[in-house]
Amino acid sequence: MIKELRVGNYVAYKGKPSLVCALDYDPKLRKENISVVYKWGEPPYKTNGDIQPILLTEKLVLQCGFNQLDDYTNDNDEKEITQDWDDQTVYYITTHANEYTVSGHRIEYLHQLQNAYFCLSGGKELEVNL
């Protein structure tokens, strides 16, 4: 089960990128129900927890509006995302405004990047173009 999900996060459902459109908790079953859509405006699918995180890649970072500065660094007007030199499947995010780095918090999946960006930008959603 993926933790830290919000409405608007991207996940993979049946192998396709999907948007989380509803989260609710069933106290009788003691489980969270997650509904997704492939595109906003379509009917939702109840996933029964059958979702996977989307692995963050360099291509995906670029699709999120970041520009490549060098082999390990991408940025946009507000944030910088840096690839770990030793483990290139891990990223870290920094804001340009106050140079605050989410240190020690590995960003490996798209929903984690979306959530970190949301928190560090004061509630602004990351635009993802899949």
Side-chain angles (χ1 to χ4, degrees):
M1 175 105 183
I2 303 174
K3 297 185 188 262
E4 307 163 343
L5 283 180
R6 294 183 306 110
V7 170
N9 280 153
Y10 277 95
V11 294
Y13 176 61
K14 295 187 177 181
K16 293 182 182 179
S18 307
L19 283 162
V20 174
C21 64
L23 298 165
D24 61 77
Y25 183 76
D26 186 334
K28 290 181 183 176
L29 297 176
R30 292 182 157 181
K31 75 174 217 175
E32 193 167 49
N33 295 313
I34 301 168
S35 296
V36 298
V37 292
Y38 294 124
K39 292 182 183 174
W40 287 118
E42 291 184 354
Y45 299 92
K46 286 218 180 238
T47 65
N48 297 320
D50 186 26
I51 57 174
Q52 299 295 318
I54 297 174
L55 188 64
L56 201 54
T57 63
E58 183 178 343
K59 179 181 176 185
L60 193 50
V61 168
L62 296 174
Q63 289 175 298
C64 291
F66 289 89
N67 302 304
Q68 187 165 9
L69 298 179
D70 58 40
D71 288 344
Y72 295 98
T73 309
N74 297 277
D75 83 343
N76 65 13
D77 292 336
E78 300 172 3
K79 311 283 179 283
E80 185 176 282
I81 186 166
T82 307
Q83 211 172 16
D84 188 301
W85 291 6
D86 296 324
D87 182 354
Q88 294 183 7
T89 64
V90 176
Y91 293 82
Y92 298 92
I93 191 167
T94 305
T95 66
H96 293 315
N98 59 9
E99 296 304 314
Y100 176 75
T101 303
V102 182
S103 60
H105 187 79
R106 300 161 55 98
I107 299 173
E108 298 178 67
Y109 302 108
L110 179 56
H111 73 279
Q112 292 173 327
L113 177 60
Q114 288 179 284
N115 293 344
Y117 190 91
F118 182 83
C119 291
L120 292 173
S121 66
K124 184 178 175 184
E125 293 288 349
L126 179 66
E127 291 187 34
V128 181
N129 299 303
L130 295 177

